[in-house]
Each structure stands twice: as C-alpha cells, then as structure tokens.
Amino acid sequence: MKSPEELQRALGWNRELANDPKEREHLRSYLALQLAAAGIAPPIDDSTDSAMAVFSQSMLDSLREKTRLLSEHRPPIDQRIEAFLARYFEGVYSKPLRLPGRSLVLDRHGMARELSLPVRGDHFQNDLLQSYRCYNGVLNNPASDRRTTAGTFHVCEDGLPIAADKRAVPRRVFVELFRAAVNPPKESLLLPYTSESPNPPSAWVSLLLRPLVRPEVPGYCSAKTMETRFFAPGSLVSNLDFVETIFGNAGDPLISANNAGLDVYHWSGHTGCVILAPHLITLTKKDLGLPHYDEATDRQRRDSMCYRDAAEKYNDGVAFKLTCRDTAGVIVTLIADNYYGYCKKEVKTQLSYAANLMGGAEEEHAGGALAFASYSLGEEFQVNSRRYNGRSFDDVARDYESFIDIKPEGYGVDRLYPSVIYIPENSRATLSGRCIRWMRDGVEHQIPLSPDQTYIAPSGYKIRLERHPSAPSWRLVGTVGEGVFCHKPCTVSGGGKSEISKSLRDYMLYGPIFVSEIDEDFDKLDEIFSKNYQERWNQKYDDKPDYAKRQSRSVLANERSLGSVIQLLTPSPDFSDSYNQWLQTIPDHVYALALIIKRFITPETRNHWRQHFGVDIVNGSPGHELKFGDRALVGTYLRVGLDGSRWRTFKLRQDFIASAKVQREDDISASTVVPRSKLQDLGPAVANADSYKFVENCEFRLFQRPDDAIHRGLDYQTELDLSRPSNFVSNFQPLTRDNVEAIVTDVIDFEKYTKSMQQMLTSATASGAAFTVSSAHPRVLTDGSKTKNPRYLQDRPDMTNAKDTYVAYRGMQMFRSVPADGAVQAPVAAILCGRRNNPPDKPAGIRSLAV
C-alpha cells in the first residue's frame, strides 16, 4: 500500500505545486523523454530541447529500438486480460484478441493533464470534445454534455447471467466490436500535446488504477484493491486525466512493484480493463454479424440485436458500453462515448463485480457524513464532562500525553495543531470575560478565549468563539463529541447523497425579525410570557412533573432553556386539546418574536421586557423591525428552493447552528461487515449489535454538480473550489479575457460573488490568461440553451479540511475513552447494522464509529 507521501504524488494533491512553472518545466522534460522512448516524436520547445540535451541521440535511438523490440511484450496485467479473452472467445475466432501493443504509459500524475492540450496552446478541439487551458485549471467539454442510460448497458453472452434490463450481445459480435475498438480512426489517435507539430504522431495512451474493493478494519482484515487498466486513443487523454484525478495513478504496469499479482495481501484477485472507443457508434448491425429481424430470437428482437434495414447502426448510433465478464475475475469493457461520467461509473461497476466475487465486501452507491450536532450557547457555558462520560482532565492527561502537551495549570495543547486546546471538566467559557476559567487545587486559572482556537472538554464536547455571519455580535458555539454517521446506501442518481454531506450554511439567510402591529404582537407576547403552563398536560399523560414540589417555570425564567421554550410552544399529543388549540392561535411571526426575546433576555430586563424591545418610528408610525435597545435583531432563515424566481424560505429557531460535518462518502463506497466478536470494545454508543458495517470512500475527488452555483454568492463551497488553481472542470463556459473583464467591471453583479471568486476573476484579468471558468457560467450548448449538468472535481472535504477532521476524531476518541494508540485515529467510519436489543418498531440508530 502507498505511504501518505506516495499517495499525494499519485493524486497530484498539491495544487500549488502542480501550477508551479518550474514543476511544469520538469514535467515537460519528463514527457519529452517518455515520448521519445515510446517512439513518439515530441513537440519541439524549450523543455524538449533541454531534455534532449541531457542524453545523446544514440541513447535515445537505443531506447526507441528497445521499445520496438519489446512491443509484443505485455505487462502482467495485460497478460491476464489477454489470457481471459483467449479463453472466453476460444473457438469463436482463431486469431487472438490483443490489447493495444504500444501505448504511452501515464505512470505519473499530471502527464495526462499536460498531454490533453497543445504544448504551446490553450485550446484543443475535435469532433468529440473541446479542451481549454484556464487560469483556474483545465476545462473539458465533451460533445455530449450528459450521459444517457436508456439502452446503454450491453453484456456479452455466455458469461455471468445477464439481467433483464441489459442487452445481451453474442460473443462473435463482441469480438468484432473489440477489434474495431483497438483499431480506431487515425484522427482519434492524435495526441493534443503534439497536435500542432508539422507531422503530428498517432498514439494510444494507457493508465493503471488500483481502486479500493474492501476497507481495512485494523485487527480483522487488510484493505483490498483490484487492478484496472484504461486504454484511450490519444485525443481522449483527458478521460484518463479524469479517472486518475479521482482514484490516483498506480504507476507503470511493467514495473514489478506495481504488479498486483505480487501484492498477495492487498490484491482482491480481480482485473479490469476499459477501452474508450467512441467510433463504435458508426458501425452497422449487419457488418457486426447481427441477424436480420426475421431470423432473430425473441430476446434479440427485444434488445434490438437485429436489423430490418442493412444500414441500421448498432444501438441506433448512440452511446453504449459493452461488458464481458465471467466468474474468472476479469472484466473487459468497451465504452462508445467520451463523456467523463461513463469512465467513473465503469470503475464503480468493476468494483461491484470484484466485491461480489470476492465476498465479504460490497460496493455501495452511497453518500454520507459524520454529523456533529451544534448549538448556539449564547454568551456563557459551563462544561460538565462527568455527566456524559465520567472523565476528568487528569484522565485525559494520563491517557493522551502522546499527542497533548500538558500544562501545569491543568490544560493541554495539541502537539500537531497548537490551536486545539484541551480544557478541564469544570471549565466555564464566558464571552464577557473573553476567557475560559476553571478551579484547580483551590486556585482559579484562565486562558484567553480566541476565535482561532477550538476547545475540547474531556467528554469530547467542543467549544469555539464565532462571529455571527450577519450581526454585530459574537457567540459561543458548542459541538457534541459523539457524531452520527448519516449513511445513505443503495441510492439512485438524484437520491440526495451529496445533500447529506453538505453543510446547510450555504443555504442560510440572515435578515430582520419583523413585527406586524407592535401593540397587538406585544400583547400576545405578554400572554405567552405570563401564562401558567402547569395545566397544559393531557390527563392520560403519566410522566408530567410534580408541581407540588416546584412551580412551573415561566418562559423567561433563567431556569428554562431556549430549547425548553421551543418544546413548550410546539403542539404535542402529550398536551391537552385545549392547550394545543391555544398554541394554534400564536401567529408564526409572534412565535419567532418570543424565541428571539427569550434569547436576549437578561435577569435585569426580564420583568420589564417591553422597555427594552421595540421598533423605530418611521414617518410618525411604528416600524416593523424588532430592536433590542438600539440594536436591530437578526433572524436566521433557510432557503429550500426556488418558486419561480423567488426563494422559498423557512425561519429557523434562534439557537440553530448547522451541524459540523465530516464528509465520508459521495458516490462510490466500499464496505465490509464484521462480527461483534472480532472487534475490541467499541464504547457504549454502539455496543448492542451482533455485527458492524465499515464503510470507506473509494474516491479522492468528487464529481460534483453545482446546480445552485449559477446564483452568484449562493454556493460558497463551489466558488471557493473554482477559485483555486489546477481544477478539472467540465460543462462550463470558457470565458475569454474580454468576457472576464466585462464581468469584473459590471460592479453590481460582480459584488454578488463571494470574495474568493471575486479575487480569482480579478487576478485572471491581470494574468493575461486566455480562458477562465466562472462558477456562475455553465456551458452554452449549440442550441443556445445552458447545460443542466455543470461538473467539476472537488478535493474530498474531509482530506482538504484536515484540521476539522482531526478535531472531530479527537472529540470522538475523548467521548469513548479510546486509548491514544487506538484506531479511532484512522479515517475509517462504520455504522451500526445489528438490531439486537432494539424493539421491532424502533430500528437501530445510525451511529458514528471510527476504527
């Protein structure tokens, strides 16, 4: 398995390094030598000349001759694929099926990106795609802006059973399609990198992947990967850039260190092959050997594997993918299109095939995130860790000194992230004092309260100081230590996988709290605040408080929390009919007023609240914006979609804070189920199960569709991502220098962008870049409409936001008292899948579990 440093190189994780001029010069020198060694004439530029100067012409001639002599030698993975094809199609044709013998092997991440554009140009175009070198990355727009699914999936006969919704293809037809696939038109073999040379060469390009089939569970099983080989005509090298950016580059298949057959601990035993061949849609059914309609079987007629007219195109001339596989563990697929999503989905299909044959693992079309409930704590908060896990700071100091620098005052500083502070179990955070205080050995200690730091209690509860996004105030925000793993398996496209993983923060609005008629509204508030709530209970409800021991707390009492007020004013079957009817008389805007007044009330203002809350006088009449003294109060609203051109919004409770999330999955996940008896102590949160399912994301970058980014300033994450360098983008509009200058000078619309996108567009105009991608400008199609399928590859948020992920796992570790060397530190999550000790009407809860 790769080390972290090797994995970063295989993924090209360092964007800034990829954009560095010196790094690009080194890459071009490397490409020049690789092209020359492969017998491909490199383009002549400064990098090529520099590279050639290192070696004599005789050495290069020697390399070319050795390459020619070894042209029939196949890497081990290719030998496995060709042996499978020879066995599967034995007796169909005497001549064996061979993979492309000479291909330019992409053994280093970034080669495909550089090869996808002319060495001196910023634009490449053919009938299948248009590629652009942009200020913020590379833009590839395939001829089809989206993939189709109707009639797409074809499977070769005489292998594994073929599902009824797939089209069955005779073996001899597969052979003809395979032979056509490895003999594409010469123009499709044109390599964009050398396309402007006087006599541009033709070439195949190939890539090796090792995608994950089964996640590692320390102490139980190792991670398992399969091997997948991609072949593409030179003009489609951007497809290989796409898949290597998602799954990582596994190196040169000729090198023994990259031979999966020698990796006995981590190879699943399965091999995949994908050949891109868009030209297959031009072939006719008759030429491929399909029967006439009158001679076809019922299934051939149903699957359109026959013809009435000799000119009929295979699959009616539209995109398809054809797969050949059996129980031997090798799967070969031809893809007759260059839309990028097909390549990713084929890796997913092959992972599913490998997992099903291997057993004990499953590939899941899943989305999910670890969600940590968060709350607005107001201006003061008293930590009470013993209530949740009985732990003290002394326990933390004893168990975690390997990564915590313990201070004599009784707190700790994280050794990896010094901005993470570990505080005692009796700490009190106070906004007015700008500090966190605690008592130790009869002496009070304190440390400053800073928005740049995160404070973790022994229970894993996290506290941070945060400025309100739209109000002139600060607040304490608390986040629980134990997260909930929201895992959505077996999901259809459009089923909401990504939405689970994304934060709500981008969809929240902040605006004034409105008063309708101040006298009427305040009279209703007086009724709410002074009401005796002891009589609210349904007579059949047995768990009501004993008011003989204490009086019911008033709405504005310090002893009643804001959450308690929300429960009090929400209809419930536990309440009497008359009380529920009275709740219905409270208008929505008065309900919101009651909550925000509760949020800002103090002991000094409680008995005279009307004197401190009010509205301005506008044109001699009371206004409608609620104020606390001279401060306008701000409410939080959630956008949930457009109704025509207007947003549909809902008011959120006053203490609402969006959950902190660590994204775990987005589309392709690998999972395995482990018996409880094979695992060590998992802690009280997840102990009552017979088995557990461990899930890991197979992708390192996510193929996002930012539909809402067309509204400038709405999708903060997309604008931040696209403002960074070295993006892989598809189905956006290539903006010229003049286009970008026009956007920047249109101040009114330009200000709607987030700061990150504004800065990127401004820098793009100054850089002189030929093209730039803006988040708000999806691709314009040939009919003048805009695509509904803009896409880009997003770095996995849980890896990009390394500190947030680290803090989340440390909090979980504290909550469960996992030892310092416990495997909770590994980026693997699991969900409870057993049902033992759960009533039939109450399914097992989904809980986070890091292993």
Side-chain angles (χ1 to χ4, degrees):
M1 298 297 287
K2 294 182 183 293
S3 67
E5 294 76 17
E6 291 173 330
L7 182 59
Q8 287 189 6
R9 288 195 295 271
L11 288 164
W13 194 254
N14 190 329
R15 288 172 178 253
E16 284 68 27
L17 183 64
N19 230 33
D20 181 82
K22 288 186 178 180
E23 181 67 20
R24 190 177 178 202
E25 181 181 343
H26 293 158
L27 179 60
R28 286 187 169 185
S29 297
Y30 183 76
L31 278 173
L33 294 172
Q34 288 288 74
L35 288 166
I40 302 170
I44 303 300
D45 70 345
D46 293 340
S47 298
T48 302
D49 295 340
S50 174
M52 295 307 172
V54 178
F55 295 94
S56 67
Q57 186 62 43
S58 60
M59 285 187 74
L60 290 173
D61 289 342
S62 175
L63 282 172
R64 291 193 185 101
E65 182 62 16
K66 289 174 181 177
T67 300
R68 186 188 66 79
L69 292 173
L70 292 173
S71 61
E72 294 303 310
H73 177 70
R74 298 292 194 266
I77 180 174
D78 292 8
Q79 294 177 32
R80 287 188 275 271
I81 295 167
E82 290 185 346
F84 161 76
L85 292 172
R87 178 186 57 77
Y88 196 98
F89 295 102
E90 185 178 7
V92 177
Y93 287 95
S94 57
K95 189 175 181 180
L97 300 181
R98 303 298 301 273
L99 297 171
R102 298 179 65 180
S103 66
L104 178 59
V105 177
L106 306 178
D107 62 348
R108 173 178 169 179
H109 188 281
M111 289 178 64
R113 179 77 50 93
E114 194 65 29
L115 290 168
S116 65
L117 286 159
V119 66
R120 292 191 185 127
D122 297 313
H123 179 221
F124 174 78
Q125 177 178 357
N126 62 18
D127 292 340
L128 295 172
L129 83 158
Q130 294 198 49
S131 298
Y132 305 85
R133 194 189 318 276
C134 299
Y135 177 73
N136 49 339
V138 61
L139 169 64
N140 294 293
N141 288 339
S144 300
D145 70 317
R146 65 182 66 197
R147 67 186 178 97
T148 180
T149 55
T152 298
F153 306 107
H154 301 194
V155 181
C156 185
E157 294 176 341
D158 300 323
L160 290 170
I162 301 173
D165 62 336
K166 307 296 187 292
R167 297 189 177 184
V169 180
R171 284 196 301 164
R172 64 180 182 279
V173 175
F174 181 94
V175 169
E176 294 297 335
L177 286 167
F178 183 93
R179 287 181 169 167
V182 296
N183 289 283
K186 185 175 181 180
E187 57 269 20
S188 73
L189 292 168
L190 177 68
L191 199 61
Y193 191 68
T194 59
S195 60
E196 296 180 354
S197 298
N199 296 299
S202 301
W204 279 93
V205 286
S206 62
L207 174 70
L208 177 64
L209 303 179
R210 289 292 299 273
L212 183 69
V213 177
R214 184 185 70 188
E216 177 187 14
V217 180
Y220 178 75
C221 64
S222 61
K224 291 284 188 181
T225 61
M226 69 177 296
E227 56 177 0
T228 298
R229 190 91 152 98
F230 268 84
F231 291 92
S235 65
L236 304 184
V237 66
S238 61
N239 286 75
L240 305 194
D241 177 20
F242 174 73
V243 289
E244 80 165 357
T245 302
I246 296 173
F247 300 103
N249 188 310
D252 188 342
L254 275 171
I255 297 175
S256 60
N258 301 323
N259 180 2
L262 302 178
D263 187 7
V264 295
Y265 290 108
H266 302 111
W267 183 37
S268 68
H270 305 92
T271 299
C273 178
V274 182
I275 302 175
L276 296 183
H279 62 283
L280 295 183
I281 63 173
T282 63
L283 303 180
T284 65
K285 295 178 179 180
K286 182 178 180 181
D287 289 343
L288 291 172
L290 286 170
H292 188 274
Y293 183 87
D294 296 337
E295 300 171 355
T297 65
D298 290 341
R299 175 145 194 176
Q300 286 176 329
R301 292 175 180 176
R302 193 203 69 178
D303 290 349
S304 194
M305 289 294 156
C306 56
Y307 65 91
R308 293 178 186 272
D309 185 338
E312 283 183 38
K313 297 284 178 38
Y314 183 82
N315 202 46
D316 300 320
V318 298
F320 68 93
K321 72 182 189 97
L322 170 56
T323 296
C324 173
R325 78 281 189 273
D326 63 11
T327 58
V330 179
I331 177 171
V332 178
T333 299
L334 313 177
I335 299 181
D337 200 277
N338 70 315
Y339 175 72
Y340 298 101
Y342 281 119
C343 293
K344 176 187 169 183
K345 291 299 184 184
E346 182 53 31
V347 175
K348 171 183 168 59
T349 298
Q350 295 194 358
L351 287 173
S352 182
Y353 165 80
N356 290 340
L357 285 185
M358 183 177 71
E362 184 179 7
E363 182 279 319
E364 299 191 33
H365 190 206
L370 278 167
F372 298 82
S374 299
Y375 306 91
S376 175
L377 304 176
E379 299 190 358
E380 288 201 5
F381 180 72
Q382 177 64 57
V383 175
N384 187 8
S385 290
R386 290 187 182 276
R387 173 183 174 186
Y388 298 99
N389 67 349
R391 301 272 286 175
S392 68
F393 183 77
D394 289 338
D395 298 323
V396 171
R398 180 191 66 240
D399 295 341
Y400 305 126
E401 63 177 352
S402 62
F403 63 84
I404 299 178
D405 183 11
I406 307 299
K407 302 298 182 180
E409 296 85 354
Y411 73 100
V413 178
D414 195 275
R415 297 182 192 275
L416 182 61
Y417 290 102
S419 60
V420 178
I421 310 297
Y422 300 90
I423 58 177
E425 72 279 5
N426 60 345
S427 300
R428 186 174 186 84
T430 170
L431 197 58
S432 59
R434 312 289 197 276
C435 67
I436 293 180
R437 298 190 180 99
W438 66 90
M439 296 294 295
R440 185 175 180 83
D441 299 329
V443 179
E444 184 179 86
H445 299 276
Q446 69 177 45
I447 54 176
L449 183 63
S450 169
D452 299 324
Q453 295 177 327
T454 301
Y455 305 89
I456 305 181
S459 65
Y461 198 86
K462 299 173 284 289
I463 302 169
R464 70 180 189 275
L465 177 62
E466 180 184 277
R467 193 183 193 283
H468 192 287
S470 189
S473 63
W474 292 76
R475 57 192 175 180
L476 295 172
V477 174
T479 301
V480 300
E482 176 74 345
V484 174
F485 189 14
C486 302
H487 172 68
K488 194 174 196 302
C490 309
T491 308
V492 297
S493 297
K497 303 181 307 301
S498 297
E499 285 71 15
I500 292 175
S501 307
K502 294 178 180 177
S503 173
L504 284 178
R505 293 184 182 184
D506 287 359
Y507 298 89
M508 290 162 63
L509 294 169
Y510 303 94
I513 300 292
F514 291 108
V515 177
S516 179
E517 297 293 337
I518 187 167
D519 291 334
E520 293 180 12
D521 291 349
F522 277 28
D523 286 345
K524 189 65 177 179
L525 288 170
D526 262 333
E527 180 183 350
I528 294 170
F529 295 156
S530 61
K531 186 177 179 62
N532 183 348
Y533 290 93
Q534 293 182 188
E535 307 301 326
R536 71 185 184 276
W537 301 104
N538 189 320
Q539 294 300 318
K540 297 180 180 179
Y541 184 66
D542 297 329
D543 200 25
K544 54 181 174 290
D546 184 358
Y547 293 114
K549 296 181 179 179
R550 65 166 179 84
Q551 292 294 311
S552 177
R553 298 161 293 169
S554 70
V555 170
L556 298 182
N558 284 345
E559 297 77 17
R560 188 178 287 280
S561 68
L562 181 58
S564 175
V565 173
I566 292 170
Q567 287 184 320
L568 191 70
L569 301 181
T570 302
S572 167
D574 297 334
F575 298 154
S576 66
D577 292 342
S578 59
Y579 180 76
N580 282 329
Q581 290 171 7
W582 175 77
L583 290 177
Q584 297 298 330
T585 68
I586 303 175
D588 289 342
H589 72 280
V590 173
Y591 178 77
L593 291 174
L595 298 186
I596 197 166
I597 290 173
K598 171 63 180 176
R599 161 68 177 82
F600 283 94
I601 207 72
T602 64
E604 295 77 20
T605 60
R606 183 171 63 245
N607 295 328
H608 309 284
W609 69 269
R610 278 194 184 229
Q611 297 176 16
H612 301 278
F613 294 86
V615 296
D616 288 330
I617 303 299
V618 182
N619 294 331
S621 300
H624 299 281
E625 185 177 353
L626 183 67
K627 303 185 76 174
F628 178 45
D630 61 353
R631 171 184 168 183
L633 297 181
V634 176
T636 305
Y637 302 84
L638 179 65
R639 290 183 274 203
V640 294
L642 285 169
D643 183 3
S645 60
R646 297 175 298 177
W647 283 105
R648 297 186 67 221
T649 61
F650 292 86
K651 177 71 176 65
L652 298 173
R653 54 187 278 177
Q654 201 58 35
D655 66 340
F656 179 85
I657 297 288
S659 292
K661 289 184 176 180
V662 176
Q663 185 168 11
R664 298 296 308 135
E665 309 165 273
D666 182 75
D667 188 29
I668 308 175
S669 296
S671 68
T672 187
V673 175
V674 181
R676 174 69 181 85
S677 60
K678 299 296 183 181
L679 298 170
Q680 298 177 355
D681 181 36
L682 301 174
V686 289
N688 295 324
D690 295 320
S691 57
Y692 298 85
K693 181 163 72 173
F694 291 75
V695 185
E696 183 63 49
N697 197 341
C698 299
E699 305 168 83
F700 293 97
R701 291 187 175 92
L702 315 176
F703 199 30
Q704 298 289 22
R705 188 179 69 196
D707 298 324
D708 293 329
I710 196 170
H711 306 288
R712 304 181 192 202
L714 172 59
D715 193 333
Y716 286 70
Q717 187 62 54
T718 295
E719 294 198 14
L720 175 63
D721 291 335
L722 292 185
S723 68
R724 300 172 65 200
S726 196
N727 285 288
F728 184 101
V729 188
S730 183
N731 286 335
F732 278 81
Q733 188 66 12
L735 302 176
T736 64
R737 267 177 259 175
D738 292 342
N739 296 148
V740 177
E741 287 177 1
I743 291 171
V744 172
T745 54
D746 184 1
V747 179
I748 295 176
D749 278 341
F750 185 65
E751 283 190 343
K752 296 176 182 177
Y753 283 114
T754 60
K755 293 297 183 184
S756 58
M757 184 56 64
Q758 289 180 25
Q759 291 169 1
M760 188 277 292
L761 292 172
T762 302
S763 299
T765 60
S767 72
F771 301 102
T772 304
V773 171
S774 157
S775 56
H777 292 80
R779 176 183 178 183
V780 178
L781 303 176
T782 53
D783 62 0
S785 64
K786 294 182 178 179
T787 181
K788 301 296 184 182
N789 192 33
R791 296 277 188 166
Y792 77 100
L793 287 178
Q794 178 194 25
D795 292 347
R796 265 176 52 179
D798 62 320
M799 298 175 68
T800 302
N801 305 320
K803 178 188 171 183
D804 293 343
T805 303
Y806 178 85
V807 168
Y809 279 96
R810 286 301 184 207
M812 295 165 65
Q813 186 176 27
M814 300 285 182
F815 179 83
R816 290 201 219 98
S817 308
V818 176
D821 58 352
V824 72
Q825 300 168 51
V828 180
I831 65 169
L832 178 65
C833 64
R835 289 182 58 98
R836 193 177 68 188
N837 296 341
N838 286 289
D841 60 342
K842 185 179 181 182
I846 297 178
R847 284 286 184 179
S848 69
L849 175 63
V851 178

